[in-house]
Amino acid sequence: MKHYEVIDAHAGAAVSGAEELAYEVLVGLSSTPKRLPSRYFYDDAGSALFARIMRLPEYYPTDCEREILETSGAEISATMERPFNLVDLGAGDGDKTLILLRDLVARDVDVVYVPIDISEGAMQGLVARIREELPTLQVQGLVGEYAQGVRWLAANREERANLILFLGSNVGNFDMPSARGFLGRLWAHMRLDDRLVVGFDLKKDIEKLLAAYNDSEGVTAQFNLNLLHRINRELGADFQVSGFRHYGTYDVKSGAMKSYLVSLERQEVRVEALERSFVFDPWEPIHTEYSYKYLRSDVDQLADDSGFVVVARHEDRQGWFMDDVWKPRRSPKLGT
Ligand code: AVI
């Protein structure tokens, strides 16, 4: 039996995946300042680089969240009536979720694990690891974007309640209107007895933030630059990747870590799929990622604005990271 399904997000859609990337590159590199969306980081190579980032000593969010799940994981899953699905949005290598899964399997809880990830390579690795470590666990993985996860929830609404994980401060990669929009869409597809666990990276010493996004081994730089390799490969572009450098900076006003690729010289890059070139001036940046950092009061506001009530809040000892458990706020009149 195959334990995951590859969903073609573009089946029957007006544009293919390659056309969508081409469109984003056209719009982003024609803008001033230039930009590219961070969701394109996660091809198989990018997902593998992100797995390395999570093991770096400077990248504190993973260790903080691991501590939270080790301390409070059983309490988080105890918020669910049984049986339930554990839906993991952006599961990646599933390393942290395995903390919850080991506990659930040890307690013989009737749970189906539904990891959703954009990278098929990451999904293969995750499913193989689960087959090896937790062979009795039911797994139904989906290779697709968050939107397919939301669609899966809608299609499986009658079956069981869902504990939805949106860990790792993935929400921080959305700007604020998009965060409200995405969480609101989840809200609309959730049952009243579903629960959502959202990981938030909290505002902290700026030096810690800068170190986490400018690591000494240069893995974050490779992760950012991989976007150019991907565009070269998938759109027939000729980026000289060594002509760009990674730059991560913190904007205190918006609370965002911002990542850029900065052109080191004047260069012209041809993108064959678009039949056009883009000129980069020396030191011209391409903005590639936001990683928003939150105050606890920002999180309260976001929960309220996207239709949720905070039912529990779990922090690591240092107060650097927070996993919030939310339930949808709405009357059963709207449907269960
Ligand atoms: C996936 N996401 C939550 C990571 C973050 O911290 O924003 C991606 C990342 N970018 C640079 N380092 C890690």
Side-chain angles (χ1 to χ4, degrees):
M1 180 188 166
K2 200 169 172 204
H3 297 282
Y4 68 87
E5 185 187 343
V6 181
I7 309 270
D8 179 3
H10 301 276
V15 293
S16 69
E19 282 163 345
E20 197 168 288
L21 173 63
Y23 161 79
E24 294 285 6
V25 169
L26 177 62
V27 171
L29 296 187
S30 307
S31 302
T32 312
K34 292 182 170 63
R35 57 182 155 81
L36 291 169
S38 61
R39 67 196 167 99
Y40 289 106
F41 283 156
Y42 302 94
D43 60 358
D44 287 350
S47 294
L49 284 164
F50 182 56
R52 274 179 67 195
I53 290 176
M54 288 194 289
R55 290 193 291 273
L56 292 169
E58 293 111 322
Y59 192 72
Y60 62 83
T62 310
D63 291 337
C64 294
E65 196 169 43
R66 187 172 290 122
E67 179 194 317
I68 294 170
L69 295 175
E70 272 160 4
T71 317
S72 309
E75 194 185 322
I76 291 172
S77 32
T79 53
M80 299 304 292
E81 303 272 323
R82 288 150 196 199
F84 67 94
N85 299 315
L86 189 66
V87 180
D88 195 357
L89 295 173
D93 66 6
D95 207 50
K96 285 170 293 177
T97 311
L98 269 156
I99 299 168
L100 297 182
L101 292 170
R102 282 187 205 105
D103 169 63
L104 290 166
V105 170
R107 291 190 291 114
D108 212 15
V109 175
D110 182 354
V111 64
V112 178
Y113 179 45
V114 187
I116 296 157
D117 201 86
I118 190 73
S119 159
E120 186 168 1
M123 184 61 65
Q124 274 169 351
L126 171 58
V127 168
R129 186 163 171 201
I130 287 175
R131 298 270 48 88
E132 162 118 21
E133 264 198 55
L134 301 170
T136 59
L137 179 68
Q138 284 189 70
V139 185
Q140 191 188 332
L142 298 178
V143 177
E145 297 185 0
Y146 294 144
Q148 274 87 59
V150 175
R151 235 169 272 149
W152 185 92
L153 282 175
N156 292 275
R157 207 171 155 140
E158 303 304 320
E159 303 264 317
R160 299 161 159 227
N162 304 292
L163 180 60
I164 304 165
L165 305 179
F166 194 36
L167 301 179
S169 90
N170 287 342
V171 70
N173 298 132
F174 288 128
D175 61 26
M176 293 301 172
S178 308
R180 275 195 294 273
F182 177 70
L183 293 166
R185 254 193 314 283
L186 266 181
W187 170 85
H189 289 89
M190 281 170 69
R191 300 162 38 129
L192 282 181
D193 54 355
D194 285 352
R195 296 290 176 268
L196 173 63
V197 184
V198 196
F200 291 96
D201 195 9
L202 297 172
K203 285 191 171 146
K204 62 182 61 61
D205 181 354
I206 294 167
E207 298 310 321
K208 291 277 169 214
L209 295 173
L210 291 171
Y213 290 83
N214 296 281
D215 68 274
S216 52
E217 289 173 43
V219 186
T220 310
Q222 284 182 55
F223 174 66
N224 199 1
L225 289 161
N226 177 58
L227 195 49
L228 303 185
H229 287 297
R230 178 173 186 178
I231 295 170
N232 280 351
R233 209 175 42 247
E234 295 186 22
L235 299 182
D238 63 357
F239 277 104
Q240 292 298 319
V241 177
S242 61
F244 288 84
R245 64 158 281 194
H246 161 76
Y247 182 70
T249 184
Y250 182 63
D251 175 12
V252 272
K253 186 157 174 265
S254 64
M257 271 305 303
K258 293 183 178 173
S259 292
Y260 296 90
L261 291 168
V262 182
S263 175
L264 298 174
E265 59 210 4
R266 187 189 184 280
Q267 43 189 320
E268 193 171 325
V269 175
R270 175 87 184 157
V271 182
E272 214 36 67
L274 296 172
E275 294 190 335
R276 75 160 276 190
S277 301
F278 299 91
V279 173
F280 293 81
D281 282 322
W283 306 111
E284 183 175 357
I286 314 172
H287 173 248
T288 54
E289 186 183 49
Y290 291 112
S291 296
Y292 278 90
K293 309 304 165 194
Y294 283 78
L295 296 174
R296 291 162 188 83
S297 55
D298 299 329
V299 176
D300 291 338
Q301 188 69 53
L302 181 61
D304 200 26
D305 292 349
S306 47
F308 291 94
V309 178
V310 179
V311 290
R313 181 158 279 181
H314 304 276
E315 294 186 17
D316 64 296
R317 261 168 310 165
Q318 302 183 92
W320 284 1
F321 199 93
M322 187 164 91
D323 277 325
D324 250 27
V325 185
W326 295 357
K327 71 173 185 187
R329 180 196 62 228
R330 65 172 185 252
S331 150
K333 278 189 181 160
L334 262 185
T336 54

